[in-house]
Amino acid sequence: MKLIVNNVEAYAYTGGKPFDPALPCVVFIHGAIHDHSDWTLLARWFAHHGHSVLAVDLPGHGRSVGQPLADMPALARWVLALLDAAGVERAALVGHSMGSLIALAAAGQAPQRVSHLVMLGTAYPMKVSDALLSTARERPLQAIDMVNSFSHSTWAPKPSYPGPGTWLHGAERALMRRTQASQTGRNLFEHDFQLCNSYDQGLNDAARLTCPSTLILGARDQMTSPKQTKELAAALKARVLTVDAGHSLMTEAPEQVLNAMRQALGA
């Protein structure tokens, strides 16, 4: 589905069903140098079980055109403008990693427009090591390999989505490389990780929320350790659900994540 957001074309996957703004809406927001394809299983399930779905490509990522936005508040405003463009008054916001912070910031800007907040593979503050930022700046393809290694706790999934024997490391590496290459003349890897590193309004945004909040965490996550969520979970009064996976929990533990999402959204 193509939408015009702030006069620029944006893309959102609707889960294989025509988008209906009258249905309860779920907005899925991907992480750094990723795109909407992170959410294929979850988007399809909710789209076929009574929800409308917008699994977005952020500006400068995937099929959405334009330049990457400068900071987390700008991305939060973009998400709210996306709702306007789709004719949606109120939605559940679901984000993974960097996307979880965007969802939090958007909910903080307009709490009356958010029915639920679900943050997967999250931490706050989401500080990035100087070594990784330096490698991202100077050798981004090597940095992609570093992040890919840290994001997975297994080589291939069990027989489920996306399929038995799927090479998780290779698929995610290819996605990040493709997204990085799509921005000619701009280091998207460094840009996205700097956004995570610099966001410092998480607790202030959390204090404005009134909707139910859920954290879905990977027990073996080396990128955003579950130990880094205690203050955020307390500020949000969030339910915390843990699955047996690393940072790439949607592909490593798809059925567990789907069950956790259903609990979070009451579906």
Side-chain angles (χ1 to χ4, degrees):
M1 176 180 179
K2 294 181 180 178
L3 298 162
I4 302 301
V5 182
N6 299 332
N7 299 315
V8 178
E9 188 176 281
Y11 176 81
Y13 173 62
T14 61
K17 298 277 281 187
F19 183 79
D20 183 353
L23 294 174
C25 183
V26 185
V27 177
F28 292 98
I29 308 169
H30 64 78
I33 62 169
H34 277 229
D35 67 9
H36 72 275
S37 63
D38 286 353
W39 303 108
T40 304
L41 172 67
L42 296 170
R44 289 190 66 84
W45 192 94
F46 281 94
H48 287 78
H49 290 83
H51 293 75
S52 61
V53 165
L54 295 169
V56 302
D57 283 346
L58 294 169
H61 298 67
R63 301 184 192 179
S64 289
V65 301
Q67 297 295 313
L69 300 185
D71 53 34
M72 210 62 74
L75 281 161
R77 291 191 294 271
W78 183 88
V79 169
L80 299 173
L82 178 91
L83 296 183
D84 292 338
V88 174
E89 181 61 33
R90 200 161 181 257
L93 300 185
V94 180
H96 174 246
S97 196
M98 179 183 80
S100 72
L101 300 185
I102 298 170
L104 174 59
Q109 286 187 15
Q112 75 282 1
R113 302 196 66 179
V114 181
S115 63
H116 300 77
L117 174 68
V118 186
M119 303 175 70
L120 293 86
T122 194
Y124 182 80
M126 197 176 287
K127 291 298 182 183
V128 182
S129 72
D130 290 339
L132 180 54
L133 285 175
S134 175
T135 306
R137 185 178 311 113
E138 298 165 8
R139 300 179 300 280
L141 296 184
Q142 181 180 334
I144 285 173
D145 289 345
M146 290 170 61
V147 167
N148 197 27
S149 176
F150 292 142
S151 293
H152 293 90
S153 63
T154 186
W155 283 102
K158 296 177 181 179
S160 60
Y161 171 88
T166 299
W167 185 26
L168 299 182
H169 289 246
E172 187 155 342
R173 181 175 184 263
L175 171 59
M176 289 192 286
R177 280 176 167 250
R178 183 172 69 247
T179 308
Q180 173 76 1
S182 70
Q183 283 290 309
T184 305
R186 179 185 291 270
N187 188 336
L188 190 60
F189 185 104
E190 182 188 12
H191 172 272
D192 284 359
F193 275 74
Q194 287 284 11
L195 288 181
C196 299
N197 193 56
S198 62
Y199 176 56
D200 61 0
Q201 294 300 307
L203 297 182
N204 291 336
D205 287 329
R208 300 187 186 99
L209 267 64
T210 56
C211 67
S213 300
T214 304
L215 309 185
I216 302 177
L217 309 176
R220 293 181 282 167
D221 192 335
Q222 298 182 71
M223 290 290 292
T224 51
S225 170
K227 296 178 181 179
Q228 296 172 271
T229 63
K230 292 181 179 179
E231 190 174 14
L232 177 63
L236 289 169
K237 300 180 176 61
R239 174 165 44 174
V240 179
L241 303 175
T242 304
V243 301
D244 184 22
H247 191 62
S248 295
L249 63 170
M250 290 97 74
T251 50
E252 285 198 346
E255 293 176 359
Q256 291 182 54
V257 172
L258 175 57
N259 289 336
M261 279 287 304
R262 293 181 63 186
Q263 290 182 58
L265 300 184

